[in-house]
Each structure stands twice: as C-alpha cells, then as structure tokens.
Amino acid sequence: MKTTQTEIKRVILDRAPLLQCAHGGVKGRSVISNARPHVGKEALLALDIKDCFPSITPALVEGVFERLGFEGEAAKVLVLLTTFKFQLPQGAPTSPALANLALRGIDIRVIGLARQQGFFYTRYVDDLAVSGRRRLKKFLRLHEKIVRTEGFRLKSKKPLMFQNEPQVITKLVVNQKVNLPRSKRAAIQKEAMEQAKAGRNKVSKSTLGKIAWAKLINAPFGIRLLERLRRVSK
C-alpha cells in the first residue's frame, strides 16, 4: 500500500499545481520558508486546524481527484487507496499533498483577504499564519469564520502576537529573524554539554541531529556549540 501511495504521490499529486502559501509536504519548502514572510511584522496571527487529517473526508478527497481530471471509478479507486476509516491516514505518503489540495478553499479566501489588506499568509499543513500591521486584530474573527465555513474547526484560540512578545509559528520565533526560541536553544546546549562532559565523544546521534537543525536555523549558535563540544572532547 505504501508503495502504491508513493506512486500516486509521484505521478499525480506532485504534478498538481500548488499555491505559494503552502509549505508543508512540499519539496524545497519547510517550516523555515513558512516562517520567513512573517519576520519583523507588527502583528502575527497563528491558527491551528483541529484534527486536520481526520476532518478531510473521502468526499473531499474525491473532489480533489476530480479537479485533477479523474472521474467516476478512477476517482473512487484513488480515494480508496489514499483514505482509511473515512479520513486521511497519518503517515501515508499521499496525506500531506492531499491535505494541501483539500485546504485550497481556505487558502484562496485568506490569500484574497491578505492581498486586499496588505497581510502576509502562509500555511504549514494545518498551521495557518497571517501577519501584518496591528490592524490585523480587526480581522481575527473573519479569519476564524473562513476556516469554519470551509468545514474545519480550530483548536483553542490564540491571541495575536505583537513585537513586544515572542512571535512564534511552527515552534520558530520570527520577531527579528527566523530563530529557535531562547529556551529551546538553551535546552539543546545543556543536553549536548552534559553528554560531552560525561565522556569523550558521547554526544548521541539524536542530540547531534538537534544541533544540526539548530545550526540550519541559527548558524552562529550551531557553530559556537559545535566548537565548545570539540574543546570539551579534547
């Protein structure tokens, strides 16, 4: 089944045109590219769709395949191959791509509002981010209404985030630049140094992976931490 889904993704879904706002499960895009448009904005709104994959029904998926040119039995077979228990299955190769296409209605409406009001909009799977001037506060309920009228629910409400506080989307801070939260950097550093001091070259692969990820986001921090680990090892 996984092999079949991988082929459906490669042959059909990867060739489907995507809106520029979609960053999750898209080749060449990531949580970092998703965060960049929101750096330095006065206000940031983060909305999380509740139970995103379970909310995407076979009917929605069939609609996606029909828009891509598959009709009748062909569309129904593709739905059977890509859904499970009347929803998108977590971990299936096709699920992120289908989610992007199923959420197109939300994207189009929010993009239209963003262009009209001078806002910036991106989406990483089920995480929606809108940023701009402080007047964004006036449009909070409208964004929530768009999600609801497209058939989805939101998780607990989050307040707007302004420049006088950490502005965080998909676990990244965007106040002045894309960065890991200070607490996360401190935790990674503590974990790495404790392991290094416990014995030479004892830093785990998991911790090294965290350092590599931190370096990708904040190169100076990652380089400094690696240098400290080398000194301790010596």
XYZ file of all heavy atoms in Angstrom, residues 10-107:
731
model
N 3.857 10.560 -6.561
C 4.851 10.944 -7.570
C 4.213 11.265 -8.918
O 4.532 12.283 -9.545
C 5.875 9.811 -7.741
C 7.014 10.142 -8.702
C 7.941 8.956 -8.882
N 7.291 7.850 -9.576
C 7.206 7.765 -10.898
N 7.710 8.713 -11.679
N 6.611 6.718 -11.459
N 3.287 10.408 -9.343
C 2.735 10.536 -10.697
C 1.604 11.560 -10.774
O 1.447 12.252 -11.785
C 2.246 9.154 -11.191
C 1.572 9.275 -12.555
C 3.411 8.185 -11.254
N 0.829 11.682 -9.688
C -0.360 12.544 -9.735
C -0.210 13.796 -8.863
O -0.263 14.915 -9.356
C -1.615 11.760 -9.303
C -1.852 10.575 -10.234
C -2.843 12.677 -9.287
C -2.982 9.652 -9.802
N -0.017 13.580 -7.579
C -0.102 14.700 -6.638
C 1.076 15.672 -6.746
O 0.893 16.886 -6.607
C -0.222 14.168 -5.210
C -1.447 13.282 -4.952
C -1.438 12.747 -3.531
C -2.741 14.064 -5.222
N 2.282 15.162 -6.984
C 3.443 16.052 -7.095
C 3.371 16.938 -8.333
O 4.072 17.952 -8.418
C 4.744 15.234 -7.133
C 5.120 14.693 -5.757
O 4.484 15.105 -4.768
O 6.057 13.871 -5.672
N 2.537 16.556 -9.288
C 2.397 17.355 -10.513
C 1.239 18.350 -10.429
O 1.060 19.172 -11.334
C 2.185 16.424 -11.710
C 3.356 15.474 -11.948
C 3.104 14.543 -13.120
N 4.208 13.597 -13.313
C 4.254 12.672 -14.272
N 3.233 12.579 -15.123
N 5.281 11.863 -14.369
N 0.470 18.265 -9.369
C -0.665 19.184 -9.209
C -0.161 20.567 -8.833
O 0.731 20.703 -7.997
C -1.611 18.663 -8.134
N -0.691 21.615 -9.451
C -0.248 22.971 -9.103
C -0.646 23.336 -7.684
O -1.767 23.070 -7.252
C -0.985 23.847 -10.131
C -2.172 23.029 -10.550
C -1.736 21.604 -10.480
N 0.288 23.930 -6.955
C 0.044 24.335 -5.578
C 0.161 25.838 -5.434
O 0.929 26.487 -6.133
C 1.057 23.672 -4.636
C 0.802 22.237 -4.179
C 1.951 21.791 -3.279
C -0.517 22.108 -3.444
N -0.586 26.386 -4.515
C -0.477 27.801 -4.221
C 0.821 28.065 -3.468
O 1.327 27.204 -2.738
C -1.678 28.253 -3.374
C -3.036 28.123 -4.057
C -4.161 28.379 -3.059
C -3.151 29.094 -5.224
N 1.363 29.268 -3.616
C 2.640 29.608 -2.998
C 2.573 29.624 -1.478
O 3.605 29.536 -0.810
C 3.115 30.974 -3.506
C 3.624 30.958 -4.929
C 4.844 30.061 -5.095
O 5.786 30.120 -4.320
N 4.827 29.223 -6.124
N 1.386 29.712 -0.914
C 1.263 29.781 0.545
C 1.533 28.436 1.217
O 1.812 28.388 2.418
C -0.126 30.274 0.935
S -1.458 29.157 0.437
N 1.453 27.327 0.479
C 1.599 26.001 1.068
C 3.071 25.625 1.218
O 3.833 25.671 0.254
C 0.877 24.965 0.209
N 3.472 25.248 2.422
C 4.877 24.915 2.686
C 5.066 23.529 3.274
O 6.180 23.011 3.269
C 5.488 25.952 3.631
C 5.642 27.299 3.015
N 6.840 27.769 2.508
C 4.743 28.289 2.805
C 6.672 28.988 2.019
N 5.404 29.321 2.188
N 4.035 22.906 3.812
C 4.171 21.591 4.420
C 4.075 20.477 3.409
O 3.143 20.450 2.595
N 5.024 19.552 3.421
C 4.993 18.435 2.487
C 5.260 18.837 1.053
O 4.879 18.122 0.126
N 5.936 19.973 0.864
C 6.231 20.476 -0.482
C 7.750 20.486 -0.668
O 8.474 21.056 0.158
C 5.672 21.889 -0.695
C 5.975 22.382 -2.105
C 4.176 21.906 -0.429
N 8.229 19.876 -1.731
C 9.661 19.806 -1.988
C 10.261 21.204 -2.099
O 9.735 22.069 -2.799
C 9.925 19.023 -3.277
C 11.398 18.758 -3.546
C 11.597 17.916 -4.798
C 13.080 17.651 -5.043
N 13.292 16.820 -6.257
N 11.354 21.425 -1.391
C 12.029 22.718 -1.434
C 11.486 23.730 -0.461
O 12.007 24.844 -0.372
N 10.427 23.368 0.280
C 9.861 24.272 1.279
C 9.880 23.584 2.641
O 9.988 22.361 2.724
C 8.433 24.684 0.899
C 8.335 25.316 -0.486
C 6.903 25.727 -0.819
N 6.731 25.920 -2.257
C 5.576 26.199 -2.838
N 4.462 26.308 -2.101
N 5.488 26.348 -4.150
N 9.766 24.376 3.697
C 9.907 23.817 5.048
C 9.288 24.770 6.057
O 8.724 25.811 5.687
C 11.385 23.637 5.373
O 12.031 24.915 5.434
N 9.414 24.440 7.338
C 8.938 25.355 8.378
C 9.707 26.673 8.320
O 9.194 27.726 8.714
C 9.059 24.729 9.787
C 8.071 23.611 9.968
C 10.478 24.255 10.065
N 10.943 26.621 7.817
C 11.754 27.845 7.719
C 11.201 28.754 6.629
O 11.001 29.956 6.845
C 13.230 27.493 7.449
C 13.791 26.651 8.588
C 14.060 28.768 7.280
C 15.208 26.139 8.352
N 10.945 28.200 5.454
C 10.375 29.029 4.378
C 8.980 29.509 4.750
O 8.554 30.601 4.354
C 10.331 28.243 3.058
O 9.463 27.126 3.150
N 8.273 28.710 5.535
C 6.945 29.098 6.009
C 7.019 30.295 6.949
O 6.124 31.146 6.973
C 6.303 27.915 6.736
C 4.938 28.226 7.296
O 3.966 28.362 6.555
N 4.843 28.351 8.608
N 8.094 30.384 7.727
C 8.226 31.446 8.726
C 8.769 32.753 8.150
O 8.444 33.840 8.650
C 9.134 30.969 9.858
N 9.593 32.682 7.134
C 10.302 33.870 6.633
C 9.403 35.055 6.276
O 9.734 36.202 6.597
C 11.159 33.491 5.424
C 12.447 32.773 5.802
C 13.311 32.525 4.591
N 14.502 31.765 4.946
C 14.944 30.705 4.290
N 14.269 30.267 3.221
N 16.031 30.071 4.665
N 8.260 34.846 5.609
C 7.442 36.012 5.245
C 6.912 36.797 6.438
O 6.450 37.934 6.270
C 6.282 35.386 4.446
C 6.818 34.092 3.942
C 7.712 33.605 5.026
N 6.973 36.232 7.638
C 6.377 36.869 8.811
C 7.403 37.571 9.705
O 7.044 38.110 10.757
C 5.606 35.817 9.615
C 4.610 35.066 8.794
N 3.445 35.644 8.322
C 4.616 33.786 8.320
C 2.775 34.749 7.607
N 3.468 33.625 7.588
N 8.660 37.568 9.288
C 9.711 38.186 10.102
C 9.504 39.700 10.197
O 9.277 40.378 9.191
C 11.103 37.878 9.512
C 12.185 38.708 10.202
C 11.418 36.398 9.638
N 9.584 40.212 11.431
C 9.557 41.657 11.650
C 8.206 42.325 11.507
O 8.135 43.553 11.466
N 7.131 41.565 11.462
C 5.804 42.165 11.309
C 5.270 42.626 12.667
O 5.585 42.056 13.701
C 4.834 41.160 10.674
C 5.286 40.636 9.327
C 5.462 41.758 8.320
C 5.728 41.258 6.911
N 6.981 40.508 6.778
N 4.459 43.658 12.658
C 3.907 44.208 13.897
C 3.021 43.204 14.618
O 3.045 43.105 15.852
C 3.105 45.479 13.606
C 3.964 46.663 13.186
C 3.117 47.908 12.956
O 1.887 47.855 13.217
O 3.675 48.922 12.515
N 2.218 42.470 13.857
C 1.272 41.529 14.454
C 1.327 40.199 13.714
O 1.540 40.154 12.497
C -0.143 42.089 14.407
N 1.129 39.127 14.471
C 1.143 37.778 13.898
C -0.016 36.975 14.475
O -0.213 36.915 15.682
C 2.461 37.072 14.224
C 2.559 35.585 13.858
C 2.498 35.394 12.343
C 3.838 34.978 14.408
N -0.789 36.372 13.582
C -1.910 35.526 13.971
C -1.604 34.089 13.569
O -1.285 33.827 12.409
C -3.188 35.998 13.273
C -4.425 35.091 13.395
C -4.873 34.994 14.850
C -5.557 35.604 12.519
N -1.676 33.177 14.526
C -1.454 31.757 14.245
C -2.734 30.990 14.532
O -3.287 31.087 15.628
C -0.310 31.217 15.100
N -3.214 30.256 13.548
C -4.428 29.453 13.688
C -4.089 27.999 13.395
O -3.438 27.695 12.396
C -5.513 29.939 12.725
C -6.003 31.373 12.902
C -6.946 31.745 11.757
C -6.698 31.546 14.243
N -4.537 27.095 14.260
C -4.293 25.661 14.072
C -5.617 24.952 13.790
O -6.560 25.062 14.574
C -3.667 25.039 15.320
C -2.310 25.651 15.643
O -1.698 26.227 14.730
O -1.873 25.544 16.806
N -5.668 24.226 12.687
C -6.861 23.453 12.369
C -6.911 22.221 13.261
O -5.932 21.479 13.365
C -6.869 23.044 10.889
C -6.957 24.296 9.999
C -8.034 22.106 10.587
C -6.866 23.996 8.518
N -8.027 22.008 13.894
C -8.186 20.870 14.802
C -8.474 19.589 14.016
O -9.331 19.584 13.134
C -9.327 21.137 15.790
C -9.493 20.069 16.847
C -10.582 20.445 17.844
C -10.722 19.406 18.938
N -11.775 19.776 19.926
N -7.740 18.532 14.343
C -7.960 17.227 13.696
C -7.999 17.366 12.182
O -8.949 16.927 11.515
C -9.258 16.599 14.192
C -9.251 16.365 15.696
O -8.181 16.057 16.247
O -10.329 16.503 16.321
N -6.944 17.954 11.642
C -6.938 18.272 10.209
C -7.124 17.039 9.331
O -8.061 16.976 8.534
C -5.635 18.982 9.850
S -5.538 19.493 8.118
N -6.258 16.037 9.461
C -6.367 14.852 8.602
C -7.689 14.109 8.824
O -8.354 13.726 7.855
C -5.179 13.922 8.829
C -3.907 14.376 8.148
C -3.803 15.645 7.606
C -2.815 13.538 8.053
C -2.638 16.077 6.971
C -1.644 13.939 7.421
C -1.555 15.214 6.882
N -8.112 13.886 10.086
C -9.412 13.219 10.276
C -10.591 14.003 9.710
O -11.634 13.421 9.414
C -9.515 13.109 11.807
C -8.104 13.101 12.277
C -7.388 14.036 11.357
N -10.431 15.329 9.568
C -11.526 16.159 9.055
C -11.626 16.124 7.529
O -12.606 16.598 6.959
C -11.351 17.604 9.524
O -11.395 17.685 10.934
N -10.607 15.594 6.882
C -10.616 15.521 5.419
C -11.237 14.188 5.010
O -10.613 13.127 5.077
C -9.195 15.687 4.850
C -8.651 17.070 5.231
C -9.196 15.514 3.329
C -7.228 17.315 4.808
N -12.476 14.243 4.612
C -13.294 13.065 4.339
C -13.036 12.502 2.935
O -12.469 13.183 2.070
C -14.778 13.421 4.447
O -15.078 14.409 3.429
C -15.103 14.003 5.818
N -13.467 11.263 2.677
C -13.370 10.713 1.325
C -14.034 11.595 0.276
O -13.563 11.680 -0.861
C -14.069 9.359 1.450
C -13.818 8.961 2.867
C -13.907 10.237 3.646
N -15.127 12.258 0.655
C -15.805 13.144 -0.305
C -14.899 14.305 -0.705
O -14.850 14.684 -1.885
C -17.103 13.675 0.314
N -14.187 14.868 0.267
C -13.252 15.950 -0.046
C -12.116 15.449 -0.926
O -11.701 16.127 -1.873
C -12.686 16.559 1.243
C -13.576 17.514 2.030
C -12.897 17.924 3.331
C -13.881 18.756 1.189
N -11.612 14.265 -0.608
C -10.514 13.690 -1.386
C -10.973 13.392 -2.813
O -10.252 13.643 -3.780
C -9.976 12.415 -0.701
C -8.928 11.732 -1.589
C -9.374 12.755 0.658
N -12.196 12.875 -2.952
C -12.728 12.613 -4.287
C -12.825 13.911 -5.083
O -12.519 13.948 -6.278
C -14.098 11.939 -4.187
C -14.650 11.521 -5.540
C -15.904 10.672 -5.425
O -16.338 10.376 -4.282
O -16.464 10.299 -6.476
N -13.234 14.977 -4.403
C -13.292 16.282 -5.066
C -11.929 16.736 -5.553
O -11.802 17.334 -6.630
N -10.888 16.448 -4.764
C -9.518 16.792 -5.163
C -9.144 16.061 -6.443
O -8.658 16.666 -7.414
C -8.511 16.448 -4.039
C -7.074 16.507 -4.570
C -8.668 17.408 -2.870
N -9.375 14.745 -6.477
C -9.004 13.969 -7.667
C -9.843 14.352 -8.880
O -9.336 14.354 -10.013
C -9.128 12.468 -7.376
C -7.998 11.921 -6.541
C -8.234 11.370 -5.289
C -6.697 11.974 -7.006
C -7.192 10.873 -4.514
C -5.640 11.473 -6.244
C -5.891 10.926 -4.990
N -11.095 14.709 -8.652
C -11.928 15.153 -9.783
C -11.400 16.452 -10.373
O -11.382 16.630 -11.598
C -13.374 15.317 -9.320
C -14.086 13.981 -9.083
C -15.487 14.162 -8.524
O -15.815 15.296 -8.110
O -16.245 13.170 -8.507
N -10.929 17.359 -9.508
C -10.344 18.610 -10.013
C -9.055 18.351 -10.784
O -8.669 19.149 -11.646
C -10.076 19.578 -8.861
C -11.350 20.174 -8.251
C -11.042 21.391 -7.396
N -10.204 21.066 -6.253
C -10.664 20.638 -5.081
N -11.973 20.443 -4.918
N -9.835 20.378 -4.086
N -8.406 17.235 -10.478
C -7.173 16.881 -11.182
C -7.447 16.071 -12.452
O -6.507 15.632 -13.125
C -6.251 16.081 -10.253
C -5.716 16.840 -9.033
C -4.865 15.919 -8.159
C -4.900 18.054 -9.453
N -8.744 15.861 -12.778
C -9.102 15.217 -14.043
C -9.523 13.777 -13.949
O -9.746 13.119 -14.980
N -9.672 13.229 -12.755
C -10.094 11.836 -12.592
C -11.581 11.798 -12.241
O -12.024 12.504 -11.341
C -9.275 11.157 -11.491
C -7.816 11.075 -11.807
C -6.969 12.114 -11.451
C -7.295 9.985 -12.479
C -5.615 12.057 -11.750
C -5.940 9.918 -12.779
C -5.101 10.963 -12.420
N -12.326 10.968 -12.940
C -13.769 10.914 -12.744
C -14.234 9.479 -12.499
O -13.517 8.522 -12.759
C -14.488 11.502 -13.968
C -14.141 12.968 -14.235
C -14.836 13.486 -15.481
O -15.482 12.673 -16.183
O -14.732 14.701 -15.743
N -15.470 9.370 -12.010
C -16.107 8.060 -11.869
C -15.308 7.073 -11.056
O -14.813 7.369 -9.970
N -15.165 5.847 -11.614
C -14.488 4.769 -10.901
C -13.022 5.084 -10.622
O -12.475 4.666 -9.597
C -14.603 3.467 -11.703
C -16.002 2.872 -11.704
C -16.493 2.578 -10.295
O -15.737 1.963 -9.511
O -17.631 2.969 -9.969
N -12.395 5.804 -11.535
C -10.973 6.144 -11.339
C -10.794 6.965 -10.064
O -9.912 6.684 -9.243
C -10.449 6.917 -12.538
N -11.636 7.982 -9.881
C -11.555 8.823 -8.684
C -11.861 8.005 -7.432
O -11.193 8.140 -6.403
C -12.523 9.992 -8.800
N -12.864 7.128 -7.524
C -13.260 6.322 -6.360
C -12.155 5.358 -5.941
O -11.904 5.143 -4.742
C -14.556 5.565 -6.660
C -15.762 6.473 -6.836
C -17.031 5.667 -7.030
C -18.217 6.585 -7.333
N -18.451 7.573 -6.259
N -11.465 4.773 -6.920
C -10.360 3.857 -6.603
C -9.221 4.625 -5.927
O -8.625 4.157 -4.947
C -9.860 3.152 -7.881
C -8.543 2.419 -7.607
C -10.898 2.170 -8.380
N -8.916 5.808 -6.435
C -7.853 6.629 -5.834
C -8.217 7.023 -4.398
O -7.351 7.071 -3.523
C -7.607 7.871 -6.684
C -6.889 7.620 -8.016
C -6.957 8.853 -8.906
C -5.441 7.216 -7.770
N -9.491 7.286 -4.165
C -9.950 7.607 -2.806
C -9.751 6.406 -1.888
O -9.250 6.555 -0.758
C -11.430 8.042 -2.812
C -11.960 8.149 -1.382
C -11.580 9.376 -3.515
N -10.108 5.226 -2.356
C -9.959 4.008 -1.546
C -8.490 3.745 -1.214
O -8.167 3.231 -0.136
C -10.545 2.806 -2.287
C -12.074 2.759 -2.385
C -12.511 1.619 -3.302
C -12.706 2.587 -1.011
N -7.601 4.096 -2.125
C -6.178 3.849 -1.923
C -5.506 4.879 -1.025
O -4.403 4.633 -0.525
C -5.460 3.824 -3.277
C -5.760 2.630 -4.183
C -5.196 2.853 -5.570
C -5.198 1.343 -3.576
N -6.150 6.012 -0.815
C -5.491 7.095 -0.075
C -6.207 7.488 1.215
O -5.733 8.383 1.924
C -5.359 8.349 -0.963
O -6.653 8.717 -1.466
C -4.409 8.092 -2.124
N -7.343 6.844 1.514
C -8.043 7.134 2.767
C -8.171 5.849 3.583
O -8.053 4.755 3.051
C -9.443 7.724 2.526
O -10.238 6.780 1.775
C -9.359 9.036 1.764
N -8.431 6.038 4.879
C -8.584 4.886 5.768
C -9.527 5.283 6.894
O -9.343 6.322 7.527
C -7.218 4.468 6.336
C -7.266 3.269 7.242
C -7.592 2.019 6.747
C -6.991 3.399 8.591
C -7.633 0.910 7.578
C -7.024 2.298 9.434
C -7.351 1.054 8.928
N -10.534 4.466 7.128
C -11.535 4.767 8.157
C -12.142 6.155 7.949
O -12.278 6.946 8.878
C -10.931 4.641 9.560
C -10.569 3.205 9.923
C -10.069 3.099 11.361
C -9.784 1.647 11.726
N -9.286 1.514 13.128
N -12.449 6.461 6.685
C -13.161 7.696 6.301
C -12.371 8.963 6.597
O -12.945 10.019 6.876
C -14.533 7.759 6.986
C -15.381 6.546 6.729
C -15.538 5.574 7.705
C -15.983 6.355 5.493
C -16.298 4.438 7.468
C -16.745 5.225 5.239
C -16.910 4.266 6.223
N -11.051 8.887 6.492
C -10.226 10.080 6.707
C -8.851 9.872 6.084
O -8.517 8.782 5.632
C -10.055 10.348 8.200
C -9.316 9.231 8.938
C -9.318 9.426 10.438
O -10.309 9.842 11.008
N -8.212 9.120 11.077
N -8.042 10.952 6.054
C -6.662 10.820 5.601
C -5.849 10.146 6.704
O -5.877 10.587 7.850
C -6.048 12.195 5.308
C -6.461 12.926 4.033
C -5.623 14.187 3.876
C -6.293 12.042 2.807
N -5.122 9.092 6.396
C -4.331 8.415 7.426
C -3.034 9.171 7.729
O -2.377 9.687 6.822
C -4.028 7.059 6.795
C -4.064 7.310 5.329
C -5.090 8.390 5.103
N -2.685 9.251 9.007
C -1.419 9.842 9.411
C -0.271 8.978 8.899
O -0.308 7.763 8.982
C -1.342 9.927 10.940
C -2.378 10.837 11.574
C -2.025 12.309 11.460
O -0.912 12.659 11.067
N -2.953 13.167 11.821
N 0.747 9.613 8.355
C 1.936 8.881 7.919
C 1.897 8.360 6.507
O 2.922 7.880 6.003
N 0.761 8.424 5.846
C 0.696 7.962 4.454
C 1.420 8.958 3.549
O 1.301 10.175 3.737
C -0.752 7.821 4.012
N 2.180 8.490 2.556
C 2.915 9.397 1.663
C 2.026 10.407 0.950
O 2.469 11.514 0.621
C 3.569 8.445 0.656
C 3.643 7.137 1.361
C 2.431 7.075 2.246
N 0.764 10.044 0.721
C -0.143 10.915 -0.033
C -0.859 11.955 0.832
O -1.395 12.931 0.302
C -1.206 10.048 -0.724
O -1.741 9.113 0.238
C -0.627 9.286 -1.900
N -0.885 11.761 2.146
C -1.739 12.594 3.004
C -1.374 14.079 3.021
O -2.259 14.935 2.893
C -1.775 12.032 4.431
O -2.489 10.811 4.453
N -0.086 14.454 3.186
C 0.224 15.893 3.187
C -0.167 16.594 1.882
O -0.712 17.707 1.900
C 1.740 15.920 3.407
C 2.038 14.652 4.124
C 1.101 13.644 3.522
N 0.110 15.929 0.758
C -0.225 16.535 -0.535
C -1.733 16.672 -0.699
O -2.230 17.697 -1.187
C 0.357 15.703 -1.672
N -2.480 15.649 -0.300
C -3.937 15.724 -0.392
C -4.487 16.793 0.544
O -5.455 17.483 0.212
C -4.552 14.359 -0.067
C -4.435 13.308 -1.181
C -4.843 11.942 -0.670
C -5.295 13.702 -2.391
N -3.886 16.938 1.722
C -4.322 17.978 2.648
C -4.124 19.356 2.034
O -5.005 20.226 2.123
C -3.560 17.868 3.967
N -2.971 19.564 1.397
C -2.723 20.854 0.744
C -3.787 21.172 -0.293
O -4.263 22.311 -0.399
C -1.336 20.853 0.086
C -0.208 21.104 1.072
O -0.396 21.758 2.098
N 0.962 20.578 0.775
N -4.169 20.173 -1.060
C -5.165 20.380 -2.110
C -6.574 20.501 -1.538
O -7.402 21.260 -2.054
C -5.092 19.241 -3.121
C -3.774 19.178 -3.906
C -3.646 17.851 -4.644
C -3.663 20.352 -4.880
N -6.855 19.785 -0.454
C -8.183 19.854 0.167
C -8.404 21.176 0.893
O -9.550 21.628 1.039
C -8.356 18.696 1.142
N -7.318 21.812 1.334
C -7.420 23.086 2.051
C -7.323 24.285 1.111
O -7.216 25.426 1.557
C -6.320 23.176 3.115
C -6.428 22.158 4.256
C -5.176 22.196 5.123
C -7.664 22.428 5.108
N -7.385 24.027 -0.160
C -7.241 25.087 -1.165
C -8.303 26.181 -0.992
O -8.036 27.364 -1.201
C -7.331 24.484 -2.568
C -7.069 25.476 -3.696
C -7.155 24.776 -5.043
N -6.979 25.712 -6.144
C -5.816 26.077 -6.645
N -4.712 25.558 -6.152
N -5.731 26.928 -7.649
N -9.524 25.777 -0.590
C -10.597 26.758 -0.417
C -10.247 27.782 0.649
O -10.465 28.992 0.466
N -9.698 27.319 1.774
C -9.254 28.228 2.825
C -8.156 29.131 2.291
O -8.174 30.360 2.489
C -8.748 27.441 4.046
C -9.907 26.722 4.743
C -8.033 28.370 5.035
C -9.466 25.842 5.900
N -7.173 28.523 1.615
C -6.039 29.294 1.105
C -6.486 30.422 0.182
O -6.035 31.566 0.309
C -5.072 28.368 0.356
C -4.351 27.404 1.287
O -4.288 27.674 2.498
O -3.839 26.384 0.786
